[in-house]
Amino acid sequence: MSTTTLADLAKTIRSKNAGTDRITFDVIFPTEETYERVKRSGALTRETVSALFRVDDERIVDFVYFDPAFAIKFTLSRAAPSGSPGEGDVFGCQQYPPLLGIVVPEN
């Protein structure tokens, strides 16, 4: 069985602030076929997000398969507000790397 990573399939994988206490993530695919492949595979789910980011399910505010944009979107509550002492990513733009290596099996 052939596999590839989410980074190989998505055209955009990003994270950014969604207010002072949340970070939102977008995984956008170039085609409906690629999007549906990832969606059907179960490689990226709430459970995957919880494990990858080591957060309880309660911190996953939203998790959406957004068919019109061929995108998977989710939002996490921050452990501390953006800009708090010791908080390392004020803009939330460096939080997506754990998603890059997700293995997506061939259908």
Side-chain angles (χ1 to χ4, degrees):
M1 176 184 288
S2 174
T3 59
T4 191
T5 65
L6 196 60
D8 295 326
L9 296 173
K11 74 175 181 181
T12 303
I13 300 176
R14 65 184 175 205
S15 61
K16 58 188 173 184
N17 276 345
T20 58
D21 61 349
R22 294 184 177 170
I23 299 174
T24 193
F25 296 78
D26 302 311
V27 182
I28 305 168
F29 300 94
T31 65
E32 182 176 12
E33 178 183 17
T34 305
Y35 165 68
E36 289 295 336
R37 171 185 170 187
V38 174
K39 188 174 160 182
R40 278 192 312 269
S41 76
L44 181 55
T45 63
R46 287 181 74 95
E47 293 78 15
T48 307
V49 169
S50 180
L52 276 177
F53 292 94
R54 298 182 181 127
V55 297
D56 292 331
D57 187 68
E58 299 82 46
R59 285 201 36 213
I60 303 171
V61 178
D62 290 307
F63 187 95
V64 178
Y65 294 106
F66 191 61
D67 296 345
F70 311 142
I72 300 171
K73 304 169 76 61
F74 61 93
T75 303
L76 302 179
S77 293
R78 285 179 175 266
S82 176
S84 295
E87 198 282 314
D89 185 5
V90 173
F91 299 110
C93 61
Q94 298 176 21
Q95 301 304 309
Y96 66 89
L99 299 170
L100 300 175
I102 292 175
V103 174
V104 180
E106 188 71 43
N107 287 343

